[in-house]
């Protein structure tokens, strides 16, 4: 396979990472594949649901990042992978996997992808999405209550006890590894246009090369 462009899209919870990722994915279709760090949360079959609900899911050790790095390398080598699927409603990895085929452009998305040096070293472009904390918490509340079956109380409690302190400890410092800082995520049309232009130029280069 020709040279593959790997773009990392990081930022705090609710910052707009997924909006950017999905817009690029929609624009270029199957010429882009995406790995979400959220799918690489560790399996917790040995812990009851009640205990799993209170684990810290915003620290690096919550993720099986080593598996993500291995599968990213496989995609970069032109090999298909079986990506794990995480079930947020039960706080555990499901028994399903999803087939992801290699593509000329790979997007890697997650809150802590820039915290891990090995993962960073596998990326060509590192993007950090920077959005005000009050906007991010409101987006998180809406998402978790609507899409993940959480109560408002549990979302607010999780945010105050783990999400906010882990953001300050791990996520915010990781922005120093970014090549590009994007304020306001997918609503920043200038940044979106530049990213889409960069991806298009790469794809045209591989097609004409």
């Amino acid at each position: 396979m020709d040279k593959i462009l790997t773009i990392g899209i990081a930022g705090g919870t609710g910052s707009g990472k997924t909006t950017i990722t999905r817009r690029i994915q929609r624009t270029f279709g199957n010429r882009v594949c995406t790995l979400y760090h959220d799918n690489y949360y560790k399996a917790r079959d040995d812990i009851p649901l009640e205990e799993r609900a209170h684990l810290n899911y915003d620290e690096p050790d919550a993720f099986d990042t080593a598996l993500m790095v291995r599968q990213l390398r496989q995609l970069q080598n032109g090999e298909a992978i079986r990506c794990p699927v995480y079930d947020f409603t039960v706080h555990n990895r499901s028994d399903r996997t999803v087939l992801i085929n290699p593509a000329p452009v790979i997007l890697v998305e997650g809150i802590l992808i820039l915290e891990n040096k090995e993962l960073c070293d596998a990326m060509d472009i590192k993007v950090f999405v920077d959005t005000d904390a009050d906007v991010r918490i409101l987006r998180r509340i809406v998402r978790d209550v609507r899409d993940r079956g959480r109560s408002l109380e549990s979302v607010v409690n999780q945010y105050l006890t783990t999400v906010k302190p882990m953001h300050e400890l791990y996520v915010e410092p990781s922005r120093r590894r970014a090549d590009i800082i994007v304020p306001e995520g997918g609503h920043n049309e200038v940044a979106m246009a530049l990213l889409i232009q960069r991806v298009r130029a790469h794809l045209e280069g591989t097609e004409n090369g």
Side-chain angles (χ1 to χ4, degrees):
M1 178 174 281
D2 293 324
K3 165 67 176 169
I4 291 175
L5 177 68
T6 303
I7 303 175
I9 302 173
T13 182
S15 60
K17 303 181 301 300
T18 304
T19 301
I20 291 178
T21 302
R22 287 177 178 167
R23 285 186 65 176
I24 295 173
Q25 187 81 61
R26 283 199 306 269
T27 301
F28 299 103
N30 62 10
R31 292 181 292 174
V32 173
C33 66
T34 304
L35 290 182
Y36 294 97
H37 205 189
D38 279 0
N39 277 324
Y40 291 85
Y41 276 116
K42 292 177 179 176
R44 301 288 189 177
D45 300 321
D46 56 326
I47 300 175
L49 174 60
E50 181 64 27
E51 291 183 32
R52 292 200 302 266
H54 298 289
L55 294 175
N56 184 349
Y57 291 97
D58 292 85
E59 63 176 349
D61 191 53
F63 297 90
D64 188 353
T65 303
L67 174 60
M68 188 183 204
V69 171
R70 286 199 304 273
Q71 293 199 328
L72 174 57
R73 294 294 190 191
Q74 287 178 270
L75 287 171
Q76 291 172 330
N77 290 330
E79 304 169 24
I81 65 165
R82 302 294 313 191
C83 177
V85 175
Y86 193 78
D87 186 345
F88 286 93
T89 63
V90 295
H91 306 280
N92 202 7
R93 189 180 292 182
S94 75
D95 56 3
R96 297 190 303 116
T97 59
V98 172
L99 176 67
I100 298 181
N101 290 308
V105 177
I106 303 171
L107 304 180
V108 182
E109 190 239 84
I111 62 172
L112 289 170
I113 59 170
L114 299 188
E115 186 275 337
N116 184 279
K117 185 179 185 301
E118 189 176 6
L119 201 49
C120 274
D121 290 344
M123 302 173 193
D124 301 298
I125 300 172
K126 297 176 287 293
V127 178
F128 187 93
V129 185
D130 188 22
T131 303
D132 288 343
D134 54 350
V135 174
R136 291 190 292 102
I137 179 56
L138 289 172
R139 288 176 180 170
R140 172 137 182 164
I141 288 170
V142 170
R143 181 199 68 191
D144 283 6
V145 171
R146 181 189 63 199
D147 301 335
R148 299 181 177 178
R150 308 282 171 79
S151 68
L152 175 60
E153 182 182 10
S154 72
V155 177
V156 172
N157 182 62
Q158 185 182 37
Y159 182 82
L160 294 175
T161 57
T162 60
V163 177
K164 186 175 185 291
M166 294 302 101
H167 178 88
E168 293 168 354
L169 184 61
Y170 295 112
V171 182
E172 188 64 29
S174 77
R175 67 185 288 156
R176 291 194 293 266
R177 287 179 166 156
D179 304 303
I180 304 167
I181 307 292
V182 177
E184 303 307 321
H187 300 291
N188 187 323
E189 294 299 332
V190 173
M192 282 305 315
L194 290 171
L195 284 170
I196 287 172
Q197 181 183 26
R198 178 67 183 85
V199 172
R200 182 171 286 117
H202 173 77
L203 291 172
E204 290 174 352
T206 58
E207 290 164 0
N208 299 330

